[in-house]
Amino acid sequence: MSTAEGPLVVGIDSSTQSAKALVVDAGTGRVVATGQAPHRVTTGTGRESDPRDWWSALTEAVRACGPAAHRAAAVSVAGQQHGLVTLDADGSPVRPALLWNDVRSAPQARRLVAELGGPEVWADRIGSVPGASFTAAKWAWLAEHEPEAARATAAVRLPHDYLTERLTGRGTTDRGDASGTGWWAGPKEAYDDTVLELIGLDRGVLPEMVAPGEVAGTVREGELPFARGTLVAAGTGDNAAAALGLGLRPGTPVLSLGTSGTAYAVSTRRPADPTGTVAGFADARGDWLPLACTLNCTQAVDRVAALFGLDREAVEPGGSATFLPYLDGERTPNLPHASGLLTGLRHDTTPGQILQAAYDGAVHSLLDALGLVLDADADPAEPVLLIGGGARGTAWQETVRRLTGRPVRVPRAAELVALGAAAQAAGLLTGEDPAAVARRWGTTDGPLLDPLPRDAATAERIAGVVEGAGTLWAEE
């Protein structure tokens, strides 16, 4: 390894399935070492993980980075959002963590929305209307179904809070991750006592809030190959970390193409969407990160390709087919009972045209979400940042360009969540805004694809099918 130009920092991404660690030169953004290790998630109705497995995976990933990790001057942990970690008086897990995609708490979420006065009250008071993923709903489920575990809980943490506390010995969180709990109020930037009372949670079990740019603590003696006294940043949730990793400025649109799709942008205005489509998250810097999700993205399109025995790039233009790829129901638009719908077939319709229709349907849903996320005065010519597993697929790129009429940029940088955590750690050392650090590192460098003429006819055809088909599932 060549001599680093700046101090080294470590960024960690503790995701649903694994832990990833990057050792990064704070001066240049060069990644000098990487490590990764999986952890276990249960299957079935519930989605749970033992937090101790996250710690084991984190330590394994950091060790895989070798001596560079020991030379790091600062570290930050980003983690999967919403998960409920319950600890006893000794700091040990009372039970496995309930993860963001555990939907058993859906009835509790509906009840909480009603008991506080409806979605408008939640949007105004908290910034988001809680669904099953929100931590408040998960605590309400636990208190109802496992009251002994709730009574044994002396501390409640989010996944990144738990790992940061293992590093420092101090219970902390940050505004970005806390904004996904349902009990942190955006307008007040504080825990909401009314919501806590509603779900029967004592404020005293919650972590201390660390402001952007503050130090959460230092590494204590233990199992990790960090030097004792290494600075530990506040950390944040995965979406807020990815926004840092991209160095986002307000108004820049992001589409993340994964199993599900995500649309978000940084805003200086606090979002409050009473429909619940847009989550009014805070970012990790002091601004806001309105975010909307679709349930069907790359996996749904790949399923259509598999049905026809096609490569995922084997799309063909033309035809009149419209496909709504709502194979898992859909969140944007809000059609939870929906299924896939194919219409407009003719004798000459080809499998490749149906595959292109699946791409069109998935991207149309994402663009609906993006329209709700962006401020009204956002620049319509701003390039869309395309990230996630599908971002390098030509068919995905061309479909986004055609349906948006915007230029598209595909960042070369990988592991944006871990890079964002590393930028947060670097900001502790340099005093910079972590987003400015990421911009200095050039994390969005990559091909800029020119805009294509917007295919308004296809967009309007899909919108018409969505409007007409919504009644099919309305009563289910």
Side-chain angles (χ1 to χ4, degrees):
M1 185 185 78
S2 60
T3 303
E5 294 186 20
L8 298 180
V9 294
V10 174
I12 295 167
D13 172 13
S14 181
S15 68
T16 311
Q17 303 287 345
S18 66
K20 301 166 189 173
L22 302 182
V23 182
V24 180
D25 183 331
T28 65
R30 184 170 61 90
V31 177
V32 301
T34 65
Q36 182 172 349
H39 51 246
R40 293 168 291 181
V41 181
T42 62
T43 58
T45 305
R47 292 289 188 272
E48 301 181 351
S49 285
D50 187 334
R52 291 167 293 203
D53 286 347
W54 303 337
W55 179 252
S56 297
L58 184 153
T59 57
E60 185 178 343
V62 172
R63 290 183 196 285
C65 293
H70 187 76
R71 296 200 298 274
V75 59
S76 182
V77 179
Q80 55 179 304
Q81 288 186 266
H82 301 304
L84 174 66
V85 180
T86 52
L87 306 176
D88 64 19
D90 296 323
S92 298
V94 171
R95 68 175 317 284
L98 298 171
L99 303 186
W100 63 275
N101 54 351
D102 189 318
V103 298
R104 288 175 291 179
S105 51
Q108 287 72 30
R110 289 192 292 269
R111 189 187 75 228
L112 291 176
V113 171
E115 289 180 349
L116 194 64
E120 293 83 4
V121 175
W122 277 93
D124 182 63
R125 186 182 190 103
I126 301 298
S128 298
V129 180
S133 62
F134 277 63
T135 325
K138 297 186 185 305
W139 175 262
W141 180 91
L142 186 71
E144 181 177 337
H145 291 275
E146 299 181 12
E148 291 185 4
R151 285 193 294 270
T153 298
V156 168
R157 302 290 184 261
L158 295 166
H160 110 264
D161 303 341
Y162 170 78
L163 294 170
T164 300
E165 188 168 359
R166 290 289 299 262
L167 286 171
T168 66
R170 177 187 175 203
T172 60
T173 193
D174 91 302
R175 69 193 297 273
D177 215 1
S179 65
T181 61
W183 58 62
W184 185 85
K188 298 188 298 183
E189 300 248 353
Y191 295 133
D192 189 293
D193 289 323
T194 299
V195 172
L196 292 176
E197 183 178 356
L198 186 65
I199 62 176
L201 186 62
D202 190 298
R203 175 191 277 261
V205 306
L206 298 178
E208 177 186 353
M209 193 70 58
V210 177
E214 287 187 355
V215 176
T218 57
V219 172
R220 56 181 176 174
E221 288 186 274
E223 352 173 5
L224 279 177
F226 293 126
R228 183 184 180 193
T230 299
L231 295 179
V232 180
T236 193
D238 52 5
N239 287 304
L244 289 182
L246 290 166
L248 286 188
R249 300 180 190 274
T252 299
V254 180
L255 295 181
S256 179
L257 307 177
T259 300
S260 58
T262 307
Y264 59 87
V266 168
S267 176
T268 58
R269 301 171 186 147
R270 183 182 71 82
D273 176 17
T275 72
T277 303
V278 177
F281 295 148
D283 76 353
R285 301 172 48 257
D287 285 329
W288 303 93
L289 194 69
L291 179 148
C293 294
T294 66
L295 296 183
N296 300 276
C297 194
T298 59
Q299 189 175 48
V301 170
D302 287 351
R303 179 59 181 153
V304 173
L307 284 173
F308 289 104
L310 297 175
D311 182 271
R312 63 169 62 96
E313 295 289 340
V315 295
E316 295 179 30
S320 57
T322 298
F323 187 80
L324 305 183
Y326 302 164
L327 305 187
D328 291 320
E330 190 46 80
R331 180 170 171 177
T332 306
N334 184 23
L335 296 168
H337 303 296
S339 55
L341 179 66
L342 176 61
T343 186
L345 295 184
R346 300 291 184 185
H347 283 291
D348 59 353
T349 301
T350 67
Q353 289 172 339
I354 295 175
L355 179 58
Q356 179 62 69
Y359 277 97
D360 291 346
V363 170
H364 185 270
S365 292
L366 266 175
L367 296 183
D368 275 355
L370 187 63
L372 296 169
V373 161
L374 287 171
D375 290 335
D377 57 356
D379 183 357
E382 178 81 13
V384 174
L385 293 179
L386 210 59
I387 64 173
R392 287 173 173 78
T394 300
W396 282 110
Q397 295 171 1
E398 296 301 292
T399 304
V400 172
R401 291 168 70 199
R402 182 169 51 82
L403 293 184
T404 62
R406 288 177 181 255
V408 168
R409 186 180 294 280
V410 185
R412 292 193 187 93
E415 308 301 347
L416 286 166
V417 173
L419 268 178
Q424 192 181 47
L428 289 184
L429 304 178
T430 65
E432 293 174 273
D433 176 346
V437 171
R439 291 193 290 271
R440 177 164 57 77
W441 290 351
T443 55
T444 60
D445 291 351
L448 178 62
L449 309 177
D450 291 334
L452 295 174
R454 183 171 179 269
D455 186 354
T458 295
E460 290 169 7
R461 186 176 75 245
I462 297 171
V465 172
V466 173
E467 183 178 0
T471 57
L472 291 174
W473 307 294
E475 301 303 320
E476 295 187 31

